Amino acid sequence: MLSPERLALPDYEYLAQRHVLTYMEDAVCQLLENKEDISQYGIARFFTEYFNSVCQGTHILFREFSFIQATPHNRASFLRAFWRCFRTVGKNGDLLTMREYHCLLQLLCPDFPLELTQKAARIVLMDDAMDCLMSFSDFLLAFQIQFYYSEFLESVAAIYQDLLSGKNPNTVIVPTSSSGQHRQRPALGEASTLEGVEASLFCQCLENLCDRHKYSCPPPALVKEALSDVQRLTFCGFLVALSKHNGINQALGALPDKGDLMHDPAMDAELERLVVRSRLHRTSRQHRAEEPGAFGFQRRDKPEAPETVPSASAPTPCLYRWEPRE
Amino acid sequence: MIPGKYRSVSGRAASNVNCGLHLVIQTSSLPEKNKVRFEKVEFRLNKETSSFPGRLLQHDLERNYSSRQGDHINLVSSSMPSFPILQRSSEEKILYSDRLTLERQKLTVCPIIDGEEHLRLLNFQHNFITRIQNISNLQRLIFLDLYDNQIEEISGLSTLRSLRVLLLGKNRIKKISNLENLKSLDVLDLHGNQITKIENVNHLCDLRVLNLARNLLSHVDNLNGLDSLTELNLRHNQITFVRDVDNLPCLQRLFLSFNNISTFESVCCLADSTSLSDITFDGNPIAQESWYKHTILQNMMQLRQLDMKRITEEERRMASVVAKKEEEKKRESHKQSLLKEKKRLIINNVARKWDLQQNRITNIATNQERKDSDSQDNSQNDGGTMSAFPEETGSLDSGLTSALQGLSVTDTHLVEVDGDTLSLYGSGALECLDRNWSVQTAGMVTTVSFTFIEFDEIVQVLPKLKIKFPNSLHLKFKETNLVMLQQFNALAQLRRVDQLTVDPQGNPVVNFTLWKYYVLFRLSHFSMQKINGTEVTQNDMIMAERLFGILAHVASSELPQYRLISILGDARKKQFRYLLETKGKKPGIVNEENNDSKRLVGENTNRATLNYTTRDFYNEKLEEIKEKKKFCKTYIEDLVKEATEINMKNEALQKLWPQMFIELVRDAVIEIRNKNSYMKICLQQITDQK
């Protein structure tokens, strides 16, 4: 981070590259929206909390899609939040449709667009059977690639189309253009239904793209590694390779390795506490339910009284502490 | 109540059982040639079961009718082989100049009767005659009796213009015909034949008695023209309906026993007949009905005897009472069925409109659906059903009470309260929650059913529902466009929900594997008993917790404080705003709101942040924020500009500072070089300042 290059950039660009301005703008906006509530406990504290949450990655919860998409850090945080919240669904073994995953996404972001989810599903399902069931890990990894690198992928798709149709964006340097053309056309000896483009050429184009791209893109070395053992590949195949490559996943840093996707011991412990508490809660309620209420309608007036019974084990997250927190 | 004479009809072989017509003709001694004058003609119906009353002239009955056989009669075979010629002794002729009895003479044909042109009565009973012949010359004939023969066709009577009584009972006649010239006919007896249709009698305007019993009639009509008909006997036929009787101005007695009449409608013309006083229906299916007597009595007020029994005042009174009750019941059920029909139409209408909205059908909406209703009407029946319909202009049936304001198929929504269920069809129905419901009715409602209404619209009225129908425990949704799990968050604001039914039709959310668990999770504070009819088990609840518990944990503990406040604050603000709008600041309501907010706190608070804002609201909010965002952007830009300026200046200063510092030092040193002059300058400065 403390490289000398950063001093070479003009101030505004430096700030913009680090997305500092995005967060500043958003912070001020939030402040404006909630000024009555926030003024209760001070603006300094508000900013503290805000940037703390940005660091922790909780700032994107229940925010609008435009904010979530704004910075790579937001996207990564969102992916992580989604993973943490719904890992249990995957652990349970349920296979869900694309629409249901989209529903879960919408629980965290109400206006998440359907197209992204559809594209992610297409990576997993490889064709247009959009009602197929997908496992949680498959979907999540594909979704990660699609969401985090969405602009990059659009450019790649354009390149792919060009390559398919025979135009090489890099032809300018190759003098023997005819041989270059020959190379791109499907090999004549084989059946005419040979799909995709040649991997090495594709990689080269990608490298060029990464150099000039201002959006985030996966590390080119890892991309090459992912495509190293294939001769030809289709766009779908490329996406699948990306999603399954562990190195890229790690480089992104949002999710744990594929093997560990279902593991989160801290959260599991917390979950157990919650389950126990709800079980206690429910049995105590049922006992109360057997007592007839005043008009035969049971527990009409005070359904929530048992809530005040403190649970034995859980450190209940106390939400309504308005006094300053140390 | 069958007249005795019919009961043992089969027993008596050659009995003279018939309609018991008693004919009395009182005549002057000799009829004049030109005019046939009858001073007095009277008919008496003989209903006794006595022995043969005779259709004879009373004068001579007892005296002369000792033997049944026509005596003093010689039948001489004539030159024509088929027809015998009848001759009577002259003293016979003088004694009984106007009547001739040829009973039981084993006649197979009508004999030629010569020289008896004064004959007024001719009796051919109990023979085997097949055709009426050879009597055309007896043009004075008044009374012709052909009872119990084998006549197959009415014929040979065209010259008997004076004929008044024609007895053709117990023959084989299939059709009434050839009576055109018998315009003076008074009594026509055709009982015991095979007649299927009443016809060719319309010209008999003097006919007073018509007997068509024991024939094959299936219906009665074509009776117009019989302006003198007083008695019509139609017993023992197969009659199913009766018409034209109201065209008989003098008809007093009508006997319809032992037919096939089953409804009053088939004899409804009788009600219009003012002359009828005596009628019999026994032996018909209608007489077995429970409503038989009072319906007849009620519809035929002019009757004096029914089935041979006098009608008492008491009976009449009872009949009218019962009839009124029947009328009431019929009206009730009619109204009910109309209501049902209207409901069905409205629901169909709403369904169609909904489908259009959902772009499921491509027809252009006809302008049928344009009409909207303004106010709603409340109608209560004693059946406990209360339906509310929009007021329409015009009414369909003027007979309906004012409770039903009229039918129209252009209604766009329907609200129905049926005991404990409130059903709403169509989005316009949500307005009904604004109305004043009686406490009793509202208190009874435990189930609320929404159909053909967008869920987003329902969400907006849920606070009203909570207040107006506090006992609603069961919610049903059908065709409400539930597509996201998030939408269930909106139900958390209700007081309590015991049961939830989400019909798969029109609610895609049901196709999700996890929807039930999510509902249980989010609405865990309700402790729901049933979802879509299946009981909720402990395992379900635990599974729900397991699946989504972390979401709740994250949503509560990891949100920064200010987010929590803002999210929760929004929800409470909305509720409060609604209350202010509708009820004003009544202290009672404010207390309730406080209770509600307490309850909100009391519910599983780690879920409280999971809210649902309808798409429209959400977009609205985003729109509102846009302004703020723009402002923020410019503000920050300004700040950044300032900061960068300052930074630049700072950097510039950094660069220039060494030089500046050296210059400063140099200037200072130069200044102080000459101590004396410097002291003088300083003192000067001080005095200048003062």
Side-chain angles (χ1 to χ4, degrees), chain B residues 56-78:
Chain B
L56 306 176
L57 306 173
Q58 192 179 16
H59 290 304
D60 311 276
L61 171 59
E62 280 76 22
R63 267 190 293 135
N64 278 349
Y65 223 75
S66 45
S67 101
R68 298 293 160 90
Q69 306 207 337
D71 31 356
H72 311 295
I73 294 186
N74 293 331
L75 290 168
V76 176
S77 59
S78 68

Side-chain angles (χ1 to χ4, degrees), chain B residues 421-687:
Chain B
T421 305
L422 168 68
S423 306
L424 304 167
Y425 298 86
S427 57
L430 296 175
E431 292 161 4
C432 83
L433 293 170
D434 286 329
R435 291 171 38 203
N436 286 327
W437 294 85
S438 77
V439 175
Q440 194 199 19
T441 326
M444 273 179 59
V445 168
T446 59
T447 305
V448 183
S449 150
F450 301 93
T451 318
F452 301 121
I453 311 175
E454 288 274 358
F455 188 77
D456 287 358
E457 291 177 23
I458 299 174
V459 165
Q460 292 168 32
V461 302
L462 282 177
K464 290 187 211 172
L465 187 71
K466 190 161 78 160
I467 291 183
K468 287 281 171 85
F469 293 98
N471 294 337
S472 52
L473 297 175
H474 181 182
L475 295 182
K476 293 168 89 163
F477 298 97
K478 183 172 166 178
E479 290 278 3
T480 53
N481 242 357
L482 269 168
V483 293
M484 302 195 285
L485 293 174
Q486 215 190 359
Q487 288 173 306
F488 288 115
N489 292 345
L491 296 178
Q493 62 184 292
L494 291 173
R495 193 166 286 154
R496 175 136 168 248
V497 176
D498 252 354
Q499 271 196 64
L500 183 65
T501 305
V502 180
D503 198 303
Q505 191 183 344
N507 291 318
V509 83
V510 178
N511 297 329
F512 292 157
T513 330
L514 301 176
W515 80 274
K516 281 194 190 170
Y517 294 120
Y518 186 75
V519 170
L520 288 174
F521 155 73
R522 182 66 184 86
L523 305 175
S524 62
H525 58 290
F526 288 155
S527 284
M528 296 181 68
Q529 309 281 334
K530 276 195 188 182
I531 295 188
N532 272 16
T534 38
E535 289 269 338
V536 169
T537 64
Q538 178 84 318
N539 286 339
D540 290 337
M541 294 295 290
I542 293 183
M543 178 58 86
E545 268 312 305
R546 262 194 211 290
L547 282 175
F548 295 107
I550 297 187
L551 174 65
H553 176 79
V554 164
S556 58
S557 58
E558 302 200 352
L559 272 183
Q561 195 80 299
Y562 73 90
R563 291 293 313 284
L564 273 177
I565 304 172
S566 70
I567 291 180
L568 290 174
D570 259 346
R572 268 186 308 161
K573 263 188 228 151
K574 254 193 287 185
Q575 283 188 324
F576 197 56
R577 204 185 312 136
Y578 156 69
L579 288 167
L580 285 180
E581 274 168 20
T582 54
K583 297 272 187 167
K585 290 211 172 179
K586 284 200 205 142
I589 301 305
V590 171
N591 281 341
E592 198 178 319
E593 201 275 333
N594 284 340
N595 286 342
D596 277 352
S597 65
K598 278 201 209 104
R599 211 168 286 127
L600 198 64
V601 168
E603 72 167 83
N604 263 343
T605 47
N606 59 357
R607 278 141 235 227
T609 49
L610 299 171
N611 284 340
Y612 173 64
T613 17
T614 60
R615 175 115 315 176
D616 299 331
F617 274 3
Y618 195 75
N619 292 338
E620 256 180 51
K621 220 168 54 155
L622 289 182
E623 283 291 323
E624 286 170 11
I625 296 178
K626 267 199 198 143
E627 279 296 319
K628 293 199 178 113
K629 280 203 176 142
K630 242 195 299 187
F631 165 74
C632 292
K633 203 168 165 76
T634 46
Y635 178 68
I636 298 285
E637 274 176 17
D638 289 342
L639 282 181
V640 168
K641 236 186 279 181
E642 243 183 82
T644 53
E645 274 178 21
I646 293 175
N647 191 32
M648 256 187 351
K649 289 182 191 165
N650 201 17
E651 286 187 357
L653 181 62
Q654 293 288 351
K655 284 205 196 98
L656 295 173
W657 178 247
Q659 191 63 26
M660 281 168 66
F661 186 70
I662 292 173
E663 281 178 21
L664 274 174
V665 169
R666 197 192 57 199
D667 289 343
V669 167
I670 291 173
E671 247 183 59
I672 305 179
R673 231 205 212 163
N674 192 347
K675 276 192 208 163
N676 290 335
S677 53
Y678 185 63
M679 270 195 300
K680 273 196 201 122
I681 294 172
C682 283
L683 281 172
Q684 188 71 30
Q685 279 179 352
I686 292 171
T687 51

Side-chain angles (χ1 to χ4, degrees), chain A residues 125-177:
Chain A
L125 299 172
M126 296 274 252
D127 53 15
D128 279 20
M130 296 307 280
D131 285 334
C132 276
L133 304 171
M134 302 179 272
S135 77
F136 182 71
S137 40
D138 287 343
F139 174 74
L140 186 55
L141 291 170
F143 179 70
Q144 171 182 250
I145 297 293
Q146 177 62 49
F147 181 47
Y148 195 81
Y149 295 125
S150 39
E151 295 86 357
F152 173 71
L153 288 183
E154 276 174 28
S155 314
V156 171
I159 291 180
Y160 180 78
Q161 286 304 319
D162 287 344
L163 284 182
L164 258 191
S165 58
K167 291 185 302 176
N168 187 342
N170 296 339
T171 3
V172 61
I173 51 174
V174 179
T176 53
S177 52

Side-chain angles (χ1 to χ4, degrees), chain B residues 93-211:
Chain B
K93 271 198 211 176
I94 294 166
L95 219 56
Y96 312 110
S97 58
D98 58 351
R99 66 193 83 128
L100 177 57
T101 308
L102 290 168
E103 232 180 281
R104 295 180 202 276
Q105 295 296 314
K106 301 197 176 59
L107 296 169
T108 55
V109 292
C110 291
I112 299 176
I113 301 171
D114 249 349
E116 303 271 8
E117 274 71 19
H118 298 297
L119 219 50
R120 295 200 297 174
L121 183 152
L122 183 53
N123 185 345
F124 275 123
Q125 279 190 54
H126 305 296
N127 282 294
F128 303 96
I129 298 170
T130 53
R131 279 190 69 186
I132 310 172
Q133 297 161 306
N134 300 323
I135 54 174
S136 334
N137 51 335
L138 306 172
Q139 295 191 3
R140 301 268 170 89
L141 210 56
I142 295 174
F143 186 109
L144 176 57
D145 188 348
L146 284 158
Y147 171 76
D148 192 14
N149 277 284
Q150 294 172 359
I151 297 169
E152 288 168 9
E153 189 197 346
I154 307 174
S155 58
L157 304 172
S158 44
T159 56
L160 307 177
R161 287 173 212 282
S162 317
L163 200 64
R164 304 269 292 219
V165 177
L166 176 56
L167 309 179
L168 285 167
K170 210 161 170 203
N171 278 286
R172 298 182 190 165
I173 298 170
K174 297 194 173 47
K175 186 170 156 58
I176 309 174
S177 57
N178 296 327
L179 301 172
E180 285 82 35
N181 293 336
L182 307 179
K183 289 211 169 58
S184 322
L185 209 56
D186 209 18
V187 174
L188 176 57
D189 181 3
L190 288 166
H191 81 275
N193 280 290
Q194 297 159 8
I195 297 169
T196 54
K197 200 168 155 207
I198 302 177
E199 54 188 338
N200 298 323
V201 296
N202 308 88
H203 56 286
L204 303 172
C205 39
D206 284 340
L207 194 68
R208 301 223 298 178
V209 175
L210 176 56
N211 185 351

Side-chain angles (χ1 to χ4, degrees), chain A residues 21-22 24-30 32-33 50 63-70 111, chain B residues 618 621-637:
Chain A
L21 294 181
T22 318
M24 285 299 302
E25 283 167 17
D26 187 60
V28 174
C29 202
Q30 294 267 300
L32 275 181
E33 271 182 71
Y50 180 85
R63 294 296 306 269
E64 62 275 11
F65 179 68
S66 50
F67 179 67
I68 295 181
Q69 205 192 26
D111 58 347
Chain B
Y618 195 75
K621 220 168 54 155
L622 289 182
E623 283 291 323
E624 286 170 11
I625 296 178
K626 267 199 198 143
E627 279 296 319
K628 293 199 178 113
K629 280 203 176 142
K630 242 195 299 187
F631 165 74
C632 292
K633 203 168 165 76
T634 46
Y635 178 68
I636 298 285
E637 274 176 17

Side-chain angles (χ1 to χ4, degrees), chain B residues 226-282:
Chain B
L226 298 170
D227 294 333
S228 314
L229 196 66
T230 314
E231 171 176 327
L232 179 56
N233 185 348
L234 295 166
R235 291 188 174 98
H236 290 279
N237 277 286
Q238 299 156 8
I239 294 170
T240 49
F241 67 85
V242 173
R243 275 209 285 261
D244 272 0
V245 169
D246 41 342
N247 292 330
L248 303 172
C250 299
L251 189 67
Q252 289 171 20
R253 294 175 288 276
L254 176 59
F255 304 114
L256 286 166
S257 314
F258 296 98
N259 276 290
N260 212 1
I261 296 168
S262 45
T263 65
F264 187 74
E265 281 68 42
S266 46
V267 299
C268 59
C269 66
L270 298 178
D272 299 327
S273 162
T274 48
S275 50
L276 261 182
S277 65
D278 200 340
I279 200 167
T280 65
F281 279 112
D282 49 293

